[in-house]
Amino acid sequence: MIIKLKLLLISACISSALSDNFKTEYSPAFSIAFPYITAASEFPNFQFGLSTIIDSNESIVLTPDIPRQTGYVWSLDQFAWENWEFVFQFKITGDSKLYGDGFGFFLVKEPFAPGSCFGASPRFTGLALLFDTFPNSDKARKDFPQLQLAVGDGANRIPEYKHDTDGGDIVIARKPANIRNLATTTKAKLRYVHQKLEVFLSTDGTDKWEKVFKVDNLSLPKNLHAGFSAYTGQAKDMHEIINLIASEVKIDKEFYASTVAIQEEMTAQPRWIVWLVFGAVVAGIGFVVYRKRAGAAGDGAEMYDKVLNK
């Protein structure tokens, strides 16, 4: 039993090192940054439509604070990264007592199509992070506004987002969140590394992140569009996107291969070797991660400062 526990601890240390031991490479092709419109009056790499208004001095308004509006912004191309990170800022504001419905951030294979999932199609292949501010089910009213994590395969196994029941089976996780009428813009971050998805939220105008969701062994497809959509019904709110920072996550392949080899090798070793390697792994990985973090402390910092703090 103790040996099994040690093996689990070794695996946990290795997994932690793998998730921390990476660099991000900024991709302007899938990012949205101020002032949005180029000198040639173009909105590069993305399409937008319906109620969406691009205010080059402020934000991208998906829906104004008016009932029955739908707006979207969707990447023209697909990204094929195995590991990735997206960070974006947004605002949800309104003065109505009947407010909603919310917006979604989609990483899906399909181009934009209008539908009942916060303005986008409820049937999709990929991932959606949904910011739901209106409870369609009375049973869930006390848990709103909330964040929802939805994963769809575009087929009948997980058919579609069920608007009337606030998601249905396609939602794999949900959590109440204070995301409306805040004094500052809210930031969200999604990081997907070696089939582990982590979702973070920052609501106080700083870089202090709260981990909202963590999903292990999540297999997502490649070749995905990145996009936003928002919807208001009888309830209404203004849904604004400030920016989107897209990055490919670069893993140290040599370090990854060596740590995976350790995991496989340990399952067949005598007890005394497990104890010995346990101590060595904890110390060694800690040192390697420290060196990597120290060396990469400035990677991407200037780009994030420029785009996130315009």
Side-chain angles (χ1 to χ4, degrees):
M1 180 65 182
I2 294 178
I3 297 301
K4 289 183 178 179
L5 180 59
K6 292 295 182 184
L7 288 172
L8 288 174
L9 289 173
I10 290 172
S11 296
C13 290
I14 290 173
S15 297
S16 177
L18 288 175
S19 60
D20 288 336
N21 191 58
F22 63 81
K23 295 182 179 180
T24 56
E25 185 175 295
Y26 171 71
S27 173
F30 295 95
S31 298
I32 299 173
F34 179 82
Y36 312 127
I37 304 298
T38 67
S41 299
E42 296 177 341
F43 183 54
N45 305 316
F46 286 80
Q47 61 175 331
F48 68 96
L50 301 177
S51 66
T52 299
I53 301 171
I54 298 181
D55 183 343
S56 60
N57 294 317
E58 294 292 336
S59 66
I60 297 173
V61 179
L62 297 176
T63 67
D65 190 10
I66 300 174
R68 296 181 176 84
Q69 301 291 300
T70 298
Y72 73 93
V73 173
W74 217 261
S75 70
L76 295 171
D77 296 325
Q78 298 169 313
F79 65 90
W81 310 324
E82 183 176 350
N83 305 294
W84 42 258
E85 181 179 277
F86 287 86
V87 183
F88 59 91
Q89 282 182 290
F90 66 91
K91 290 167 56 177
I92 303 175
T93 55
D95 56 10
S96 174
K97 292 183 179 179
L98 183 62
Y99 56 84
D101 278 65
F103 79 97
F105 175 59
F106 295 83
L107 298 169
V108 297
K109 294 187 72 69
E110 296 83 5
F112 176 78
S116 59
C117 185
F118 299 95
S121 172
R123 188 183 296 270
F124 55 82
T125 307
L127 173 77
L129 179 62
L130 306 171
F131 299 78
D132 193 348
T133 56
F134 182 81
N136 293 288
S137 171
D138 289 336
K139 294 180 180 179
R141 190 170 298 275
K142 62 182 178 62
D143 297 325
F144 276 73
Q146 69 174 220
L147 267 62
Q148 301 171 357
L149 192 61
V151 178
D153 65 1
N156 291 325
R157 186 173 64 85
I158 307 178
E160 62 183 37
Y161 185 89
K162 301 293 186 182
H163 177 264
D164 293 340
T165 58
D166 300 308
D169 293 341
I170 199 171
V171 174
I172 63 172
R174 62 180 76 226
K175 184 176 181 178
N178 182 24
I179 53 176
R180 188 177 174 273
N181 280 343
L182 300 180
T184 63
T185 58
T186 303
K187 291 188 289 188
K189 175 165 60 177
L190 297 85
R191 179 187 298 152
Y192 183 69
V193 178
H194 286 297
Q195 297 193 337
K196 180 175 79 171
L197 176 70
E198 295 176 295
V199 179
F200 305 86
L201 199 65
S202 176
T203 60
D204 61 359
T206 70
D207 285 327
K208 181 180 179 181
W209 295 98
E210 173 194 357
K211 185 180 292 186
V212 182
F213 301 125
K214 177 184 176 184
V215 183
D216 293 317
N217 302 315
L218 178 63
S219 179
L220 294 175
K222 294 183 180 179
N223 301 317
L224 301 176
H225 293 275
F228 297 94
S229 69
Y231 169 80
T232 63
Q234 291 183 337
K236 62 189 180 75
D237 259 336
M238 179 180 289
H239 301 93
E240 299 174 82
I241 303 301
I242 311 302
N243 50 48
L244 172 65
I245 309 300
S247 302
E248 181 180 6
V249 172
K250 298 287 190 176
I251 303 293
D252 186 326
K253 293 183 178 180
E254 183 177 344
F255 178 73
Y256 174 71
S258 64
T259 51
V260 170
I262 291 174
Q263 285 179 305
E264 295 174 348
E265 183 71 19
M266 288 311 300
T267 59
Q269 294 302 322
R271 181 176 301 181
W272 68 271
I273 293 181
V274 173
W275 282 90
L276 179 64
V277 173
F278 173 74
V281 165
V282 172
I285 289 181
F287 177 73
V288 170
V289 171
Y290 169 77
R291 291 293 300 275
K292 291 287 184 177
R293 284 181 173 176
D299 289 347
E302 183 178 354
M303 178 60 68
Y304 275 70
D305 286 343
K306 287 182 178 179
V307 180
L308 290 180
N309 300 302
K310 71 177 182 65

